[in-house]
Amino acid sequence: MAKLFSYFFKQNKPEIQKEEKSLALESCQKELKKLGALFQSMSQGLVFCNQDLQVERANPAFYQIFALSERLEGKAVLEVIREESLYSLLKKSLSEKKQLEKEIILHQAKPKRYFKIQAIPIEETGLSGVLGIFEDITRTKELEQSRQDFVANVSHELKTPLTSIRGYAETLLSSALERPETARRFVQKIHHHAQSLQKLIEELLDLSRLDAGRIQLKKEKIDLSELAQNCLKDFQEAFEAKKISLKSTPSPPLLVLGESSLIKQILFNLLQNALQYTPEGGEVELILKTEEGQALFEVKDNGIGISTKDLPHIFERFWRADKARSRDSGGTGLGLAIVKHLTQALGGELEVTSELGKGSTFSVSLPLA
Ligand code: ADP
């Protein structure tokens, strides 16, 4: 690569271009054109600087990365990109005559981005300087970061119920076993935390299967009305216990294309949230209809609602408006992330409207059979 570029820059010098035209020169110019096109079209940013670290040439990708419009030729590179670490890298490569590589955050790139930068010294007759190659690695860095965050979150979420289980078990062993009432309470707590752990692990496995695309979609005709009624029956008791009225408008058969277990899980998670985030005496409604050639179901509650600040985050993994409250009631912060993935896998769309203190409506549209 460096050889190619040194050839390109050298040959492009006006004084050499003025040399006599011959057949050899013609073929040489053809090669130059090819190299020029390559230089112009490369997605990596390229900048060639002379021994004084002044820009001699930069390709369009370089201009684009830094949102530059003025001509850069002749300007000091540090004046163009005010990034000390980049300047030092180019300088070191020149003085040590060594190819160097470094990952740098360039705040000047719009928006701020991570780059892998290679500095390649070029020392040939008629051309001497350093070539900087800028490769945007922001996406890889972000993925790396989200993987690290995910592992940290999972560890934390596993640790919390485990610490409680251990604490209660230790107290039981040391003394509480002799006091049957206390022992019973503690065993109930252990049971509750063990259930949370199981739910968390099951949901993590679901997400990992969805991520890996390992969910085999059967795409069968399903009557959404019937499926919804069955799901509502499962929730009846829990809603009654919390004195929340659970309404559903009777709907004629509504055939959708999908897999019943996945649609059931979406509905289950949304109803579970409506139950969890609606205070006693509230109302939850399940609405089924067709709209714009799609089947639509809405889970509407008049519960605590979600603030406009929080709303964009609710489908993120482990995100919860109130961590302690959600965890206490067995929430994992994964339910809506799963709903989002499942809806996408079924070729549907998911929307939410919510107002703090007033309630939320989650709408899922699915392809009609
Ligand atoms: P969790 O297990 O915490 O319920 P979810 O992924 O299902 O996790 O939901 C993420 C967060 O979104 C919840 O912690 C809660 O803050 C908010 N949320 C979800 N559904 C509702 C709802 N119906 N009303 C109010 N807030 C909700």
Side-chain angles (χ1 to χ4, degrees):
M1 176 104 143
K3 276 261 174 281
L4 277 182
F5 281 103
S6 88
Y7 177 69
F8 172 62
F9 285 115
K10 224 161 59 178
Q11 297 302 314
N12 234 9
K13 292 240 162 193
E15 64 269 23
I16 293 173
Q17 273 178 2
K18 276 188 216 137
E19 279 174 15
E20 62 174 293
K21 290 204 169 153
S22 65
L23 268 176
L25 187 61
E26 224 171 84
S27 87
C28 202
Q29 277 176 336
K30 263 192 201 155
E31 279 307 300
L32 270 180
K33 263 196 183 154
K34 276 190 212 158
L35 283 173
L38 184 69
F39 178 77
Q40 296 291 325
S41 61
M42 274 183 75
S43 61
Q44 286 118 322
L46 302 173
V47 65
F48 179 72
C49 302
N50 62 19
Q51 286 289 341
D52 300 324
L53 286 176
Q54 285 166 329
V55 177
E56 286 226 344
R57 192 173 271 243
N59 74 343
F62 184 85
Y63 278 86
Q64 206 183 346
I65 290 167
F66 296 102
L68 298 164
S69 49
E70 284 172 42
R71 302 239 20 107
L72 304 178
E73 283 82 359
K75 286 193 177 168
V77 72
L78 190 58
E79 191 190 318
V80 177
I81 304 159
R82 297 177 192 284
E83 209 77 55
E84 191 53 47
S85 50
L86 169 69
Y87 178 76
S88 319
L89 182 79
L90 297 174
K91 200 167 163 197
K92 194 167 172 206
S93 166
L94 261 183
S95 62
E96 294 181 7
K97 297 189 180 21
K98 249 199 334 214
Q99 177 167 338
L100 300 173
E101 193 178 293
K102 197 172 182 184
E103 285 181 11
I104 292 177
I105 302 177
L106 291 179
H107 300 270
Q108 200 177 324
K110 310 247 178 334
K112 170 188 113 175
R113 308 191 75 75
Y114 293 87
F115 283 90
K116 184 165 95 185
I117 300 175
Q118 278 177 289
I120 307 171
I122 294 175
E123 196 59 73
E124 309 237 342
T125 29
L127 186 80
S128 146
V130 58
L131 176 70
I133 305 178
F134 293 65
E135 189 187 344
D136 191 339
I137 52 165
T138 312
R139 182 85 192 114
T140 323
K141 280 276 168 200
E142 281 171 354
L143 283 175
E144 214 172 90
Q145 185 61 48
S146 72
R147 237 190 337 260
Q148 282 167 6
D149 290 350
F150 185 70
V151 172
N153 273 324
V154 171
S155 319
H156 179 73
E157 295 296 330
L158 288 173
K159 222 169 126 187
T160 313
L162 268 178
T163 311
S164 301
I165 290 174
R166 191 177 157 186
Y168 287 119
E170 280 171 3
T171 323
L172 275 172
L173 284 173
S174 64
S175 59
L177 271 178
E178 281 85 60
R179 287 172 278 131
E181 255 324 293
T182 318
R184 185 177 176 74
R185 210 158 33 85
F186 282 11
V187 172
Q188 274 167 348
K189 297 259 187 207
I190 290 177
H191 184 234
H192 168 78
H193 288 297
Q195 276 179 322
S196 303
L197 268 182
Q198 188 176 1
K199 184 165 179 243
L200 177 65
I201 288 162
E202 277 165 7
E203 292 193 345
L204 281 171
L205 287 173
D206 282 345
L207 271 175
S208 111
R209 270 195 293 268
L210 281 164
D211 280 345
R214 265 188 280 131
I215 297 254
Q216 294 284 323
L217 269 186
K218 278 202 224 102
K219 291 253 174 183
E220 52 206 359
K221 274 187 193 171
I222 293 149
D223 180 4
L224 194 56
S225 305
E226 193 188 329
L227 188 138
Q229 287 312 317
N230 288 337
C231 215
L232 286 176
K233 267 188 221 146
D234 294 342
F235 273 94
Q236 205 75 45
E237 221 175 283
F239 274 88
E240 274 170 16
K242 213 175 157 188
K243 298 188 181 62
I244 297 172
S245 87
L246 179 58
K247 290 199 282 186
S248 78
T249 27
S251 143
L254 189 54
L255 293 182
V256 292
L257 211 53
E259 192 177 320
S260 63
S261 65
L262 305 190
I263 302 176
K264 216 168 168 179
Q265 196 175 353
I266 295 178
L267 205 49
F268 182 91
N269 287 8
L270 293 179
L271 285 169
Q272 182 76 46
N273 279 352
L275 171 69
Q276 189 166 327
Y277 301 107
T278 304
E280 273 200 24
E283 260 178 32
V284 172
E285 194 177 354
L286 176 66
I287 303 155
L288 295 184
K289 54 187 170 188
T290 48
E291 208 174 87
E292 293 168 5
Q294 298 256 299
L296 188 82
F297 66 83
E298 288 181 348
V299 178
K300 188 173 174 184
D301 68 59
N302 67 351
I304 62 169
I306 304 157
S307 71
T308 26
K309 173 174 75 65
D310 292 335
L311 206 54
H313 302 287
I314 58 170
F315 298 108
E316 289 168 17
R317 291 167 193 202
F318 295 115
W319 190 91
R320 289 172 279 202
D322 181 341
K323 270 200 191 304
R325 177 189 185 138
S326 157
R327 200 179 280 130
D328 278 353
S329 45
T332 57
L334 294 175
L336 285 181
I338 291 176
V339 167
K340 188 179 112 190
H341 271 72
L342 288 174
T343 311
Q344 279 170 354
L346 289 162
E349 272 175 41
L350 170 66
E351 274 176 26
V352 55
T353 53
S354 188
E355 204 179 326
L356 198 62
K358 295 242 165 96
S360 317
T361 303
F362 287 84
S363 318
V364 177
S365 63
L366 293 173
L368 280 170

